[in-house]
Amino acid sequence: MAYLAPIHRPSSVRHALKLRFLSANEKCLVVAKSNRLDIYALTDDGLELQYTRAVYGKITMLEKLRPASSSTDHLFIGTDRYTYFSVSWDPRISHLRTEKSYTDLSDKTGRDSQSEDRCLIDPSRRFMALGLFEGILTVLPLTHKSKKKGDPESGSPGEPAPVRIPELFLRSSAFLYSRNPASEKEKPKLALLYEDSHEKVGLKIRSLNYAAGGTSEPGSAEFIEEYRFQEQVDLGASHIIPVPAPSYGFLIIAEVSITYVDEVSNHHLIEPLKEATIFVTWTQIDAQRWLLADEYGKIYLLMLLVEDHDVVGWKFHLLGTTSRASVLVYLDAGLVFVGSHQGDSKVIRIQEKSMEVMQTLSNIAPILDFTIMDMGSRAGDTKTNEYSSGQARLVTGSGAFHDGSLRSVRSGVGLEELGNLGEMDHITELFALRSGSGTELVDMLVVSFIDETRVFSFSGTGEVEERDDYKGFVLNESTLLAVNVAQNRLLQVTTSSARLLDLESGMTIATWMVPGPQSIIAASSNQYHLALSLGGLEVVILDVSADLQVKARKTFGTDVQISCIDVPAVLQDTLIIGFWRGANISVFNIGTLEEITTIRVSEDAGAVPRSVLLTQILPEHSQTLFVAMADGNVVTLSYDPTKASVSDRSSTVLGTQQANFKAIPRDDNLFNVFAMCEHPSLIYGSEGRIVYSAVTAENASCVCPFDCEAYPGAIAIATAEDLKIALVDNERTTHVQTLPVGETVRRIAYSTRLKAFGLGTIKRTLKDGVEIVQSHFKLADEVVFSELDTYDLNEDELVESVVRADVDDAVEGSAERFIVGTAYLEDDHPDSVRGRIIVFEVTQDRMLRVVTEVAVKGACRALAMMDGKIVAALVKTVVIYDLEDDALHKIASYRTATAPIDIAVTSNFIAVADIMKSVSIVEFKRGTAGEPDTLTEVARHFQTAWSTAVANVDENTYLESDAEGNLMVLRQNVSGITADDRRRLEVTSEIRLGEMVNRIRRINVPTSTDATVIPRAFMATVDGSIYLFALIRQNKQDLLMRLQSNVAKYVHSPGNVPFNKYRAFKNEVREAEEPYRFVDGELVEKFLDCPPAMQQEIVEGLGVGVEEVKSMVEGLRRLH
């Protein structure tokens, strides 16, 4: 059984709409990103995200409706499963409210529209037309209010009525503006720009004749031809733009011309463009101005010239270049939203004959390829990554043509470095102090080392100065504690003493020295009490307000030694002590050292608490007690001081070593907790639960809050090598860094040894109106992504595949190479050469050198390595080459069903993803006794599937994606009874993802034996999503499947679309009723967002309690 969870949500924008949705007085922007709705407020600073929500289906249509009784617009949504529904905004709960549940318009006899789905509303807002199938328009009346109970009100869609039209392939369509909008008798007119069976382009206008049906029954409709444009329409015509009053009519936008047509007077006006281009979308500014975007990212302003209501011409200006637009929305006051599928979406301001980018919204779609970098270990090429640890980053080849880029995608709490104090080794602790009493901001940083202490002062402008002495501090010893306390005093604790100092004069007010040979090994304080651990055997409490007078002391003896202490700032009279034996911590009254309670934090008596912290992390909850065990476990408990009791125990593994805690204050009187270990983590409260998130800080050893004038809200963080000032996010996000390449990064390979990327790119340029395509192989540095060298491929030759390989070398023994597969666009190459395989080496000065190349008779779609040999997927064949004496020799081949699109190699087995015939498994065998080597098919999936990617995810188990957005897990039954059983790949899991996967990369993540799932692969999609794929452990399979089923009953999507319908497998051949043995992590994780009463209902019948399910689901969420 399989598990799926999103790491990076879709970022491709194909649809957007401006409307009054959140309130009647303010407009907002609704953006569709695959299956997600993002709602942005329009502010002076640009777009500000207000709400985001997943929809059960890929969004293909967005329109606004305004029912008569509503003061705000409703949102009409259509999906790729031929369903539509409408939603409104409920301001009381700040959530979407379903107004009309989903209606299914799927038609098994209809042929899918070859262009995008269309949603058209006539300007009188009486009718809506949907174009989902070729030759069929579905009419929905936006019905008027009826006296009959239950009838929909005006402005809401009524029952659908399908209408057949002879125009099958529509390039564009639009309702025209009514010339008599007050008359309900005037029939809506629909302009159709179509292509006939002879590939000629024509234009017709059809009027809608609609007859209402009975109660709850659909009416009947027909589109009657009313006007046919007699002139020849430009073959490159792509868009119809209706023109409003006073001119009326419409514009035909073509590649080389613009035509205005008045269908009533049969008058038309055509003007050629100065330069041919391909227009992709448009938006209206007012009655005479429109913005147009073309294929190459250019934005144009079209303005009609009108005399006496007649169009006499137009002006057409180029404003500038930006991302290639999928949708344009005019916001207001010259601001325009440019939504893009293949580049960053942007907000631009249009000016006279120019434009300015005001805001950029990151988009990593489409992801054509990606590779995984292990930031924790660069040794070898074994990808033992755990994405959520923040130690791994995915580097994607994103975008297309001039929007092409490399994107570094990394999960975790981000750190923005503000300054570096230089190289410093062996820092043991950091403390922030105030040097004066007039402010709450700190300006002194105390840095403790093994045998000394250094002090740095910060000015208001950020200038740093190291102090030779400071306020009487002892600087020749390690500092265990330094803090501002009451009465304008400073407290410093070293291994030998505690000192109370005057903040203004620096005079020593009191000193407490350690008696005898003992030393202070731990210290903790609040404003009034200081607790010291002497040698781990004795605790001494000093009264800070009484000049360090001993208030209490207690000896524990050698059999019960102290391992850690904490004086909580949130409880003034409390001391918490952890002990080396018994896995216990005890709570004491700090004034008397009387024991209040003892808490057993682990059933393992050998477990040792090594750090303890009590703080307020969740609002309106009890304080949370954090206990770090020596084995890397962190135990959290809710502590009730009135009853001296604990509850809600949970345990989390952060690493293999103990974590040290540091509380970081937030603005809301709450705290985040920094846990320092080999994988530093930030622990914070979110939506009533505690969340652990990796911090993108490598080798961090200690940290302290450092809220100073120059760096408000910052922290000081030390690593093994240096000391930095940085800003830390409050919560985990996915961090994306961009390197613009200006070319399509079609393929990417990463070398840990060379610390470089191999990139296969495609560049597109326009020269004298002619499109020129040139492909390259580039070598880029891994750190700064700078280009090191470039190899130009031949004319009409495109890069198809790139891999990094270790090959045998006579001189070096083993050498690293980049191997590139190509394809030729044209057929005029000699001897039917259709591509090349080129082997590159990287020289000492980091330049590319061709080692060898071989011409192949098929495009080289994919490459892989098998024990030093090159496996190449050519058109119709899979071939194995041996690289000997810097030459490639063909040693075996296998003929595929149609054409291989991807391959995955495991040992001597090759999984071949065929473009039409799913997956086959091929075995490579060495020839014996002079026989040649062979490639033999040993198993096959006997179903039709348009494969896009494949990967081995377990022994004899493969993950396949197809072009229709499905995922299948296939298993070879090698122990089957019959030969037919062993040859058949059986489906063990399947689900509809709804996005086409371009690449699957296998990962190996070490997991504990009690882990719920085992991560196995990352997947990247056309829409910019990245998913984590995992296999579910056998003992958790039934629990997760039943949990998913129960959550689906209680968690509803907009439109009330059933979860099973949304995730059920569907292609042209077969449609399932529900996902099969696949768990959707995004749905299961919504259990944590449910109220407690609902959680209790969901777990009924599962055989486990709410807390156990919460703990399991929180563990799943931490994976990504």
Side-chain angles (χ1 to χ4, degrees), residues 113-370:
S113 173
Q114 296 303 301
S115 56
E116 65 180 7
D117 292 348
R118 305 175 190 277
C119 177
L120 308 171
I121 295 181
D122 87 288
S124 67
R125 308 201 76 79
R126 289 181 293 158
F127 296 96
M128 174 188 292
L130 306 180
L132 306 177
F133 304 98
E134 284 191 1
I136 298 176
L137 290 175
T138 302
V139 176
L140 285 77
L142 302 179
T143 51
H144 290 273
K145 196 167 185 178
S146 169
K147 294 181 180 179
K148 295 180 181 179
K149 187 176 180 181
D151 277 9
E153 60 178 323
S154 176
S156 299
E159 294 298 315
V163 182
R164 291 196 174 272
I165 57 174
E167 294 79 25
L168 298 182
F169 182 72
L170 293 180
R171 291 191 175 186
S172 181
S173 55
F175 278 108
L176 302 183
Y177 285 93
S178 171
R179 300 181 186 239
N180 188 10
S183 171
E184 292 190 4
K185 294 182 179 180
E186 185 172 356
K187 298 176 181 179
K189 295 179 180 180
L190 182 65
L192 303 173
L193 182 67
Y194 64 94
E195 183 180 320
D196 64 18
S197 58
H198 303 290
E199 297 185 351
K200 292 184 178 180
V201 181
L203 189 141
K204 291 181 183 178
I205 294 178
R206 293 182 175 274
S207 60
L208 173 60
N209 190 7
Y210 181 83
T215 303
S216 301
E217 291 188 6
S220 60
E222 62 177 332
F223 282 101
I224 303 170
E225 183 177 330
E226 194 169 279
Y227 174 83
R228 184 193 296 258
F229 188 56
Q230 300 298 329
E231 302 296 324
Q232 183 175 352
V233 181
D234 191 329
L235 288 176
S238 57
H239 292 82
I240 294 175
I241 299 179
V243 177
S247 303
Y248 297 105
F250 56 91
L251 296 167
I252 303 173
I253 308 298
E255 293 181 6
V256 297
S257 66
I258 296 177
T259 304
Y260 169 76
V261 180
D262 185 331
E263 80 283 3
V264 174
S265 65
N266 202 25
H267 165 72
H268 73 277
L269 181 65
I270 184 169
E271 288 188 10
L273 298 174
K274 292 181 181 179
E275 188 178 70
T277 190
I278 303 170
F279 293 101
V280 292
T281 187
W282 58 272
T283 188
Q284 183 174 348
I285 300 175
D286 54 32
Q288 292 180 224
R289 294 184 299 165
W290 290 264
L291 289 175
L292 282 71
D294 74 2
E295 175 70 21
Y296 307 100
K298 295 177 181 178
I299 305 293
Y300 300 88
L301 176 65
L302 172 64
M303 182 173 69
L304 296 185
L305 302 177
V306 179
E307 293 180 2
D308 296 328
H309 303 338
D310 295 328
V311 175
V312 297
W314 47 82
K315 292 182 179 180
F316 192 66
H317 300 299
L318 173 64
L319 298 179
T321 302
T322 183
S323 303
R324 191 267 194 195
S326 299
V327 61
L328 293 176
V329 179
Y330 183 73
L331 301 176
D332 251 336
L335 293 179
V336 181
F337 174 71
V338 182
S340 180
H341 165 65
Q342 63 186 43
D344 291 334
S345 296
K346 296 178 180 179
V347 176
I348 62 172
R349 183 184 298 278
I350 57 174
Q351 300 163 343
E352 187 176 354
K353 297 187 180 181
S354 67
M355 63 181 223
E356 178 185 3
V357 176
M358 307 300 293
Q359 185 180 6
T360 299
L361 305 178
S362 178
N363 169 34
I364 67 172
I367 303 175
L368 303 178
D369 198 2
F370 73 96

Side-chain angles (χ1 to χ4, degrees), residues 800-1020:
E800 290 279 357
S801 51
V802 175
V803 294
R804 184 214 62 88
D806 287 313
V807 299
D808 294 333
D809 185 82
V811 178
E812 301 178 18
S814 176
E816 197 158 21
R817 300 285 186 261
F818 284 109
I819 304 171
V820 177
T822 74
Y824 284 106
L825 293 175
E826 305 297 336
D827 294 326
D828 55 359
H829 290 274
D831 302 323
S832 300
V833 172
R834 303 294 298 129
R836 290 189 294 167
I837 298 175
I838 313 170
V839 180
F840 292 93
E841 75 165 337
V842 178
T843 62
Q844 296 261 340
D845 52 355
R846 306 188 84 181
M847 303 294 285
L848 293 171
R849 186 183 76 85
V850 175
V851 176
T852 187
E853 64 176 82
V854 62
V856 291
K857 296 183 179 181
C860 185
R861 301 294 189 194
L863 290 167
M865 297 302 297
M866 175 190 286
D867 193 25
K869 297 173 179 58
I870 300 172
V871 183
L874 311 180
V875 172
K876 296 186 179 180
T877 58
V878 174
V879 180
I880 295 183
Y881 292 92
D882 205 355
L883 181 61
E884 290 184 359
D885 301 325
D886 288 343
L888 289 170
H889 305 281
K890 179 178 175 181
I891 59 175
S893 65
Y894 159 77
R895 189 169 182 85
T896 59
T898 51
I901 198 72
D902 193 22
I903 54 177
V905 174
T906 309
S907 183
N908 62 322
F909 291 94
I910 307 169
V912 182
D914 191 90
I915 198 169
M916 288 182 63
K917 296 296 183 180
S918 194
V919 171
S920 57
I921 309 300
V922 180
E923 183 181 12
F924 172 68
K925 288 184 178 180
R926 277 291 196 182
T928 58
E931 293 291 324
D933 300 338
T934 59
L935 278 173
T936 307
E937 182 179 297
V938 294
R940 172 179 289 279
H941 180 223
F942 291 95
Q943 289 185 17
T944 298
W946 294 73
S947 306
T948 61
V950 68
N952 173 264
V953 292
D954 202 7
E955 186 176 2
N956 301 314
T957 304
Y958 303 88
L959 173 63
E960 178 194 8
S961 61
D962 70 15
E964 294 175 270
N966 299 298
L967 296 176
M968 291 175 283
V969 180
L970 307 173
R971 184 173 67 88
Q972 182 184 3
N973 185 10
V974 294
S975 57
I977 298 175
T978 66
D980 185 61
D981 291 338
R982 294 188 293 272
R983 273 186 50 82
R984 189 176 298 273
L985 290 177
E986 57 187 14
V987 177
T988 62
S989 302
E990 64 180 19
I991 195 173
R992 181 175 176 85
L993 181 64
E995 301 175 56
M996 189 177 84
V997 174
N998 270 338
R999 182 67 70 202
I1000 305 173
R1001 296 287 189 194
R1002 166 75 183 262
I1003 58 173
N1004 298 302
V1005 177
T1007 56
S1008 59
T1009 55
D1010 60 347
T1012 305
V1013 300
I1014 307 168
R1016 281 291 185 238
F1018 290 128
M1019 302 181 298

Side-chain angles (χ1 to χ4, degrees), residues 568-585:
V570 293
L571 292 177
Q572 300 287 346
D573 58 350
T574 301
L575 170 67
I576 303 172
I577 301 178
F579 299 97
W580 281 99
R581 296 183 60 182
N584 293 332
I585 60 170

